[in-house]
C-alpha cells in the first residue's frame, strides 16, 4: 500500500516524527518567561545542547545534497563547494568567544553598539531577513526534490508534456554517449544536440516525472517548522536539534554500505569512475574547482562566516564562553567528519547513475529510492527533514530577534515581554513562509550556495574589522554596504530580468572552447568500446571543454529549434566580472575555474578596500564609546550576575588596563596577545583539520 507514492511504513514513520517534534515544541514553550528565554534559552545551555545546537544549526540536508550533486558533476573536487568550511573551523575558536563576550542578543545589536548607529543595526536586520528567504528556499528545495525523487510516476501516468521532456532527455544522453565513443556526429545530429543542449540550459529536459507538487509540499513543510518553533523558541530549537542530530547521523550512513555493495566495493568504484574525478583538489583543466578556486572560495567564506546571524544566538545561549567554544568546535568538526560520507555517496552516484538524471540536485533522493527498502526510506526522509528543520528553527528564531530588537522595538519601546514574544512568533512564520518564493524561482542549489558564499561578505568585512580596528567608521560601513550590495545582489538579480542586459551582445561573451587530452586509467566502458585491453591500462582520452558564459551563468539560443535564433543570457549576471572588465581585462581565454576564482577574490577583498579608504576620509566613533565596547570584549564572562556587573564596571572605568595586553600597544589595532588557551584551541583545531583531510585522502585512495 502506498500513500503519495510512499510505502505505508515510510509514511507512518514521517508522521510519527512530525507529531513528536510538535510535542517537544509545545513542552519547551512552557519555560519561556521573557525574550531572553525565548531568543537565547536563558543563556544556560550546557555542553551537550551546545554540541547538538551547533551541529544541527550548521548541518543541513542541502549541504549533503550540494556535496553529492557537485561530485556527481565534477568528481571529488566538487565537494569543495561545501567542504571549504573545513579550513574555516579553527577561526570559530575566536569568533565564538568574541560573540559570547559581547553579551548581546543579535548581530544587529553589535552594529548598533559598535558604531552608535540604529540605522546599521536595522540595515543588518533587513539584510538578514532577506537572506533568510534564500536560506529557507534552500531547505525547501532539498526536501522537495528529495520527495520528488522518492515518488516517481510510472511512465503510463505521464502527461503529454512530461513524456516529451523525458524523451528529450533520453535523446540528449544518447547523442552525448555516441559523441564520446565515436568523437563525431553527423551534421544533422550535431544540430539536434545543440538544440537539446539549449533546452537543457533552460530547464526543459527531465529524466522523470513525480507525483509531488513542490509548492504544496513547501507550504506544509513550512507550517510544521513554524508551529513548533513559534511555541518553544530557541529552547525548542536546542532540544529538537539534539533529537534531529541522531537522525542526521543516521541518514549520513544509510546509503554507503548498500551503494558500495552495488558497485563492487572500492575497487569496483575505481573501475567505473575516471581517475581525474578522484583528484582531491580538482583537475585544473577539467574541473570548475581547481586549487586556486578553492583558495578564493575559502577566503570569501572566511570573510562571510561572522555575518551568519545565528552565531550570536548559539554562542550567547551558552552558560559561559568555554562551553560556547567547545560546543561550537565539537559540533562543527563532527559535521566535517560526516561530510566525508556525503562525498563517498557522490562518488557512488557517479558509478551507479552517471548521465541518468536531468537535475543533479535529485541524486540523493534517486539513490535513496533505488538502494533502500521500506522503513529505511522513511528514516532517510525523516533525517533529511530533521537536518533542514534543525537549521530553519534556530535561524527563524534569530531572524525574529533581529526584527524585534533592531526594527520593531526601537520604534515601539516599553511594550511587555509577552507582546514582543508574540510579535516575534509572527515574524517566525513570515520568514519561514517567505523562503517558499526563493524555492519556486531559483533553479538549483548551486546557485543558492554561491550566493551564500559571497553576499554575507558585505557585512562580514566590517564585522571582522570592527573586532580589531578602532579607526573603522560608521560612514565607511554604510557606504561600503550600499556599494557592495549593489554589485553582489542588486545588479546580478536585476540584469537577468532586463531584456536590455539579457540580449546585450557585449554581455553574451563566452570563453573559448578547448579540447584537452588527459592520461587516465581505462574504465570498464573503455574496454567495452575497444579503447583498452583491460581495466586500469593507461590511455589517453580527449575531453571537450564547452564554452562557458563570462558575464551570465549560461548563454543559449532564445529559440533552441532555430539555429539562427539570437542568443540570450540565462542565470546570474556576474557583476564582479563586469566591474573588472572596465580595466580592459580579456576574460574570453579564462577557464570556468579561473572565472569563479576571480569572482570570489573580488567578493572577499573589495569590501576591505572600500572600508580602509573611506574610514580615513570620515569621522571616527567617539573614544569613550569605543573604550566601553572594547572593554566588554576583553572581559571574560563571569559565573554569577554579581561578578559580571563588577567586572564590566571595572572595565568601563579603567579601559587603559587592557593596553599592555595588545599586540600593538598605542595603535588603533585592538588585536590582543593570544593566551595559552587561544593557542591550544586554535592549534588543536588545525590538527583536526589535517586529520580529517587525511581521512578524506584515505577514502579516495582505497582500491
Amino acid at each position: 500500500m502506498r500513500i503519495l507514492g510512499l510505502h505505508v511504513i515510510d509514511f507512518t514513520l514521517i508522521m510519527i516524527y512530525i507529531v513528536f517534534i510538535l510535542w517537544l515544541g509545545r513542552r519547551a514553550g512552557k519555560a519561556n518567561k521573557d525574550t531572553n528565554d525565548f531568543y537565547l534559552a536563558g543563556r544556560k545551555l550546557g555542553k551537550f545542547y551546545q554540541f547538538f545546537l551547533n551541529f544541527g544549526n550548521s548541518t543541513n540536508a542541502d549541504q549533503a545534497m550540494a556535496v553529492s550533486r557537485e561530485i556527481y558533476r565534477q568528481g571529488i573536487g566538487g565537494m569543495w563547494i561545501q567542504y571549504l568550511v573545513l579550513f574555516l573551523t579553527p577561526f570559530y575558536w575566536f569568533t565564538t568567544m568574541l560573540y559570547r563576550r559581547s553579551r548581546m542578543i543579535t548581530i544587529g545589536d553589535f552594529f548598533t553598539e559598535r558604531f552608535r548607529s540604529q540605522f546599521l543595526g536595522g540595515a543588518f536586520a533587513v539584510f538578514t531577513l532577506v537572506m533568510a528567504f534564500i536560506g529557507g528556499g534552500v531547505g525547501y528545495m532539498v526536501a522537495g526534490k528529495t520527495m520528488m525523487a522518492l515518488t516517481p510516476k510510472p511512465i503510463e501516468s505521464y502527461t503529454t508534456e512530461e513524456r516529451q521532456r523525458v524523451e528529450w532527455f533520453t535523446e540528449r544522453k544518447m547523442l552525448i554517449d555516441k559523441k564520446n565513443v565515436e568523437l563525431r556526429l553527423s551534421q544533422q545530429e550535431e544540430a539536434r544536440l545543440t538544440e537539446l543542449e539549449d533546452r537543457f540550459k533552460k530547464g526543459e529536459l527531465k529524466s522523470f516525472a513525480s507525483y509531488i507538487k513542490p509548492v504544496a509540499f513547501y507550504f506544509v513543510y513550512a507550517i510544521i517548522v513554524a508551529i513548533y518553533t513559534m511555541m518553544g523558541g530557541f529552547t525548542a530549537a536546542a532540544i529538537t536539534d539534539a533529537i534531529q542530530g541522531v537522525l542526521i547521523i543516521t541518514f549520513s550512513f544509510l546509503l554507503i554500505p548498500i551503494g558500495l555493495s552495488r558497485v563492487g566495493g572500492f575497487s569496483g568504484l575505481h573501475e567505473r569512475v575516471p581517475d581525474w574525478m578522484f583528484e582531491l583538489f580538482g583537475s585544473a583543466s577539467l574541473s570548475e574547482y581547481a586549487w586556486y578556486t578553492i583558495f578564493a572560495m575559502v577566503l570569501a567564506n572566511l570573510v562571510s562566516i561572522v555575518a551568519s546571524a545565528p552565531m550570536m544566538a548559539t554562542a550567547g545561549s551558552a552558560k559561559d564562553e568555554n562551553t560556547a567554544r567547545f560546543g561550537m568546535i565539537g559540533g562543527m568538526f563532527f559535521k566535517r567528519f560526516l561530510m566525508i560520507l556525503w562525498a563517498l555517496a557522490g562518488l557512488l552516484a557517479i558509478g551507479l547513475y552517471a548521465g541518468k538524471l536531468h537535475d543533479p540536485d535529485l541524486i540523493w533522493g534517486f539513490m535513496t529510492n533505488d538502494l533502500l527498502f521500506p522503513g529505511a526510506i522513511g528514516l532517510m526522509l525523516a533525517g533529511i527533514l530533521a537536518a533542514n528543520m534543525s537549521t530553519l528553527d534556530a535561524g527563524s528564531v534569530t531572524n525574529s530577534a533581529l526584527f524585534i530588537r533592531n526594527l520593531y522595538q526601537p520604534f515601539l519601546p516599553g511594550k511587555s515581554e509577552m507582546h514582543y514574544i508574540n510579535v516575534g512568533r509572527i515574524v517566525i512564520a513570515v520568514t519561514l513562509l517567505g523562503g517558499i518564493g526563493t524555492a519556486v524561482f531559483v533553479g538549483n542549489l548551486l546557485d543558492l550556495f554561491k550566493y551564500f558564499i559571497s553576499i554575507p561578505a558585505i557585512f562580514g568585512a566590517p564585522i571582522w574589522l570592527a573586532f580589531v580596528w578602532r579607526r573603522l567608521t560608521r560612514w565607511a560601513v554604510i557606504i561600503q554596504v550600499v556599494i557592495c550590495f549593489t554589485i553582489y545582489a542588486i545588479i546580478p538579480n536585476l540584469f537577468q530580468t532586463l531584456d536590455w542586459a539579457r540580449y546585450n551582445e557585449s554581455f553574451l561573451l563566452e570563453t573559448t572552447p578547448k579540447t584537452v587530452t588527459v592520461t587516465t586509467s581505462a574504465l570498464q566502458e573503455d574496454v567495452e568500446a575497444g579503447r583498452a585491453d583491460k581495466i586500469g591500462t593507461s590511455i589517453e582520452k580527449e575531453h571537450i571543454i564547452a564554452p562557458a558564459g563570462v558575464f551570465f551563468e549560461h548563454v543559449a539560443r532564445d529559440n533552441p529549434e532555430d539555429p539562427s535564433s539570437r542568443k540570450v543570457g540565462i542565470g546570474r549576471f556576474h557583476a564582479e566580472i563586469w566591474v573588472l572588465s572596465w580595466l580592459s581585462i580579456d576574460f574570453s581565454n579564462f577557464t570556468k575555474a579561473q572565472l569563479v576564482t576571480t569572482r570570489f577574490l573580488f567578493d572577499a577583498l573589495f569590501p576591505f578596500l572600500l572600508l580602509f579608504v573611506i574610514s580615513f576620509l570620515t569621522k571616527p566613533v567617539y573614544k569613550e564609546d569605543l573604550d566601553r565596547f572594547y572593554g566588554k570584549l576583553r572581559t571574560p564572562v563571569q559565573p554569577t550576575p554579581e561578578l559580571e556587573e563588577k567586572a564590566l564596571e571595572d572595565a568601563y572605568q579603567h579601559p587603559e588596563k587592557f593596553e599592555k595586553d595588545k599586540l600593538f600597544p598605542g595603535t588603533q589595532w585592538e588585536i590582543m596577545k593570544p593566551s595559552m588557551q587561544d593557542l591550544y584551541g586554535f592549534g588543536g583545531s588545525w590538527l583536526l583539520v589535517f586529520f580529517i583531510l587525511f581521512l578524506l585522502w584515505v577514502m579516495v585512495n582505497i582500491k
Side-chain angles (χ1 to χ4, degrees):
M1 179 180 175
R2 291 187 172 271
I3 302 174
L4 294 176
L6 288 174
H7 193 281
V8 66
I9 296 175
D10 301 319
F11 186 84
T12 302
L13 284 172
I14 299 303
M15 291 299 103
I16 292 172
Y17 167 69
I18 291 171
V19 171
F20 181 58
I21 62 167
L22 290 176
W23 174 78
L24 284 176
R26 183 174 182 273
R27 183 180 178 185
K30 295 178 180 179
N32 292 323
K33 301 297 188 296
D34 55 29
T35 52
N36 197 52
D37 289 335
F38 190 75
Y39 292 126
L40 292 174
R43 295 190 188 274
K44 58 188 177 186
L45 295 182
K47 290 183 174 65
F48 175 82
Y49 281 124
Q50 276 289 305
F51 173 86
F52 278 107
L53 182 63
N54 283 288
F55 171 64
N57 184 49
S58 66
T59 306
N60 311 340
D62 51 75
Q63 294 165 343
M65 310 304 135
V67 169
S68 59
R69 69 100 67 193
E70 283 303 280
I71 290 175
Y72 182 72
R73 289 178 61 245
Q74 293 280 312
I76 194 69
M79 74 180 296
W80 295 109
I81 187 67
Q82 272 296 307
Y83 217 46
L84 56 87
V85 295
L86 175 65
F87 301 110
L88 309 179
T89 312
F91 295 94
Y92 288 120
W93 186 254
F94 297 109
T95 59
T96 303
M97 177 199 69
L98 291 170
Y99 276 139
R100 183 61 186 92
R101 284 190 182 181
S102 72
R103 300 164 171 90
M104 299 170 194
I105 294 179
T106 72
I107 296 180
D109 296 343
F110 175 90
F111 278 100
T112 299
E113 184 170 329
R114 167 60 176 83
F115 299 102
R116 293 296 162 181
S117 171
Q118 287 281 0
F119 172 79
L120 276 175
F124 180 80
V126 171
F127 166 80
T128 302
L129 290 170
V130 172
M131 290 296 292
F133 294 159
I134 300 176
V138 171
Y140 299 139
M141 285 175 64
V142 167
K145 289 191 175 188
T146 303
M147 281 294 295
M148 289 172 66
L150 290 174
T151 55
K153 284 184 179 181
I155 296 175
E156 57 269 19
S157 298
Y158 284 2
T159 65
T160 302
E161 181 183 357
E162 289 169 344
R163 188 180 301 276
Q164 178 68 81
R165 289 170 178 261
V166 172
E167 288 174 355
W168 281 341
F169 178 83
T170 304
E171 184 182 1
R172 171 182 175 270
K173 183 180 184 304
M174 180 191 70
L175 290 171
I176 290 175
D177 290 344
K178 183 177 181 181
K179 188 172 183 177
N180 287 337
V181 172
E182 299 179 7
L183 299 179
R184 66 170 59 189
L185 295 174
S186 69
Q187 186 175 355
Q188 183 179 0
E189 289 173 328
E190 194 70 58
R192 180 60 174 167
L193 179 58
T194 301
E195 176 190 337
L196 292 172
E197 288 289 2
D198 286 339
R199 290 190 183 279
F200 184 73
K201 292 176 182 178
K202 291 187 170 188
E204 296 177 5
L205 277 61
K206 305 293 181 185
S207 56
F208 70 95
S210 171
Y211 283 112
I212 293 296
K213 302 299 180 186
V215 176
F217 175 82
Y218 297 156
F219 273 103
V220 173
Y221 184 59
I223 289 169
I224 293 169
V225 180
I227 289 173
Y228 83 78
T229 308
M230 289 165 68
M231 288 190 294
F234 209 76
T235 303
I239 294 173
T240 54
D241 280 4
I243 305 298
Q244 289 160 342
V246 176
L247 287 172
I248 294 169
I249 295 167
T250 301
F251 98 72
S252 297
F253 277 91
L254 275 176
L255 295 174
I256 304 304
I258 300 175
L260 280 173
S261 174
R262 182 76 68 85
V263 298
F266 283 98
S267 60
L269 182 63
H270 279 267
E271 290 175 3
R272 297 188 184 205
V273 179
D275 282 354
W276 66 269
M277 284 192 163
F278 287 93
E279 294 182 21
L280 273 182
F281 291 96
S283 164
S285 59
L286 298 176
S287 174
E288 294 177 18
Y289 301 100
W291 68 265
Y292 46 81
T293 314
I294 297 165
F295 172 79
M297 293 171 73
V298 167
L299 190 61
N301 219 335
L302 179 59
V303 176
S304 298
I305 57 170
V306 289
S308 174
M311 285 191 66
M312 182 71 81
T314 52
S317 64
K319 63 181 181 181
D320 55 53
E321 59 197 59
N322 281 334
T323 299
R325 276 179 148 181
F326 284 103
M328 175 68 78
I329 293 296
M332 290 293 184
F333 270 114
F334 190 63
K335 171 193 170 180
R336 309 314 185 227
F337 168 73
L338 288 183
M339 290 175 79
I340 296 176
L341 301 179
W342 303 347
L344 180 54
L347 289 172
L348 289 170
I350 300 171
L352 291 170
Y353 316 114
K356 294 182 180 179
L357 287 178
H358 69 273
D359 183 354
D361 293 342
L362 296 163
I363 193 62
W364 199 280
F366 193 83
M367 290 179 73
T368 297
N369 199 40
D370 183 49
L371 299 179
L372 300 185
F373 48 86
I377 291 176
L379 280 176
M380 172 65 79
L381 190 51
I384 291 170
L385 294 176
N388 291 326
M389 288 177 176
S390 65
T391 301
L392 288 172
D393 54 18
S396 62
V397 175
T398 300
N399 298 329
S400 174
L402 279 164
F403 178 84
I404 294 298
R405 292 188 58 81
N406 304 117
L407 293 173
Y408 187 81
Q409 199 168 354
F411 292 100
L412 289 171
K415 300 291 184 180
S416 69
E417 290 289 288
M418 283 310 300
H419 173 84
Y420 291 128
I421 288 176
N422 288 332
V423 174
R425 284 172 170 150
I426 295 172
V427 175
I428 288 172
V430 171
T431 56
L432 286 171
L433 291 172
I436 294 173
T438 305
V440 171
F441 291 109
V442 177
N444 63 65
L445 293 174
L446 181 60
D447 292 341
L448 289 177
F449 276 108
K450 289 181 179 178
Y451 269 99
F452 277 123
I453 293 175
S454 59
I455 290 184
I458 297 169
F459 279 94
I463 291 174
W464 277 115
L465 278 184
F467 277 136
V468 299
W469 193 42
R470 279 177 169 255
R471 190 63 182 80
L472 183 63
T473 70
R474 178 189 306 116
W475 277 106
V477 176
I478 292 173
I479 295 171
Q480 174 262 322
V481 165
V482 170
I483 293 174
C484 288
F485 193 74
T486 301
I487 296 174
Y488 296 4
I490 294 177
I491 292 177
N493 288 289
L494 179 63
F495 276 31
Q496 62 182 300
T497 66
L498 299 175
D499 285 348
W500 163 81
R502 295 172 65 237
Y503 293 100
N504 190 322
E505 287 291 334
S506 61
F507 292 159
L508 300 179
L509 179 68
E510 295 181 89
T511 58
T512 305
K514 298 176 181 177
T515 300
V516 296
T517 301
V518 295
T519 302
T520 184
S521 297
L523 305 176
Q524 184 176 343
E525 64 182 52
D526 296 313
V527 175
E528 293 172 355
R531 290 189 290 267
D533 295 328
K534 61 180 180 178
I535 295 172
T537 303
S538 181
I539 61 173
E540 290 189 344
K541 297 176 73 173
E542 287 190 344
H543 286 266
I544 299 172
I545 301 177
V550 172
F551 298 110
F552 278 102
E553 195 71 32
H554 302 290
V555 176
R557 288 180 299 179
D558 197 17
N559 180 3
E561 296 180 357
D562 181 6
S564 62
S565 174
R566 61 179 178 171
K567 290 189 174 182
V568 60
I570 301 172
R572 184 185 190 272
F573 180 82
H574 305 316
E576 303 95 332
I577 302 293
W578 183 41
V579 170
L580 290 172
S581 72
W582 301 346
L583 303 176
S584 300
I585 300 174
D586 180 12
F587 290 104
S588 62
N589 290 318
F590 277 44
T591 65
K592 180 74 171 182
Q594 290 168 338
L595 287 172
V596 175
T597 302
T598 303
R599 278 180 47 210
F600 283 116
L601 285 177
F602 184 98
D603 292 338
L605 302 176
F606 186 64
F608 288 101
L609 174 64
L610 291 176
L611 290 170
F612 279 116
V613 171
I614 301 171
S615 287
F616 285 118
L617 301 175
T618 51
K619 182 180 178 180
V621 178
Y622 290 117
K623 180 179 183 301
E624 294 77 12
D625 293 331
L626 292 174
D627 286 343
R628 188 177 181 87
F629 173 82
Y630 287 111
K632 186 163 61 169
L633 284 185
R634 308 308 171 217
T635 304
V637 173
Q638 302 299 306
T640 67
E642 295 76 20
L643 291 174
E644 269 278 273
E645 184 178 356
K646 182 179 179 181
L648 289 174
E649 189 58 36
D650 182 62
Y652 299 154
Q653 295 296 325
H654 305 286
E656 70 282 351
K657 73 175 186 177
F658 300 106
E659 197 68 21
K660 68 180 186 308
D661 296 322
K662 291 166 63 172
L663 269 180
F664 307 105
T667 70
Q668 298 283 346
W669 292 99
E670 290 285 337
I671 304 174
M672 309 305 287
K673 296 175 183 176
S675 65
M676 292 306 297
Q677 187 181 39
D678 293 332
L679 294 175
Y680 285 141
F682 190 64
S685 296
W686 277 109
L687 289 177
L688 287 173
V689 168
F690 293 123
F691 176 68
I692 288 177
L693 281 175
F694 171 73
L695 292 179
L696 182 61
W697 178 84
V698 169
M699 187 269 289
V700 298
N701 283 281
I702 296 176
K703 294 184 180 180

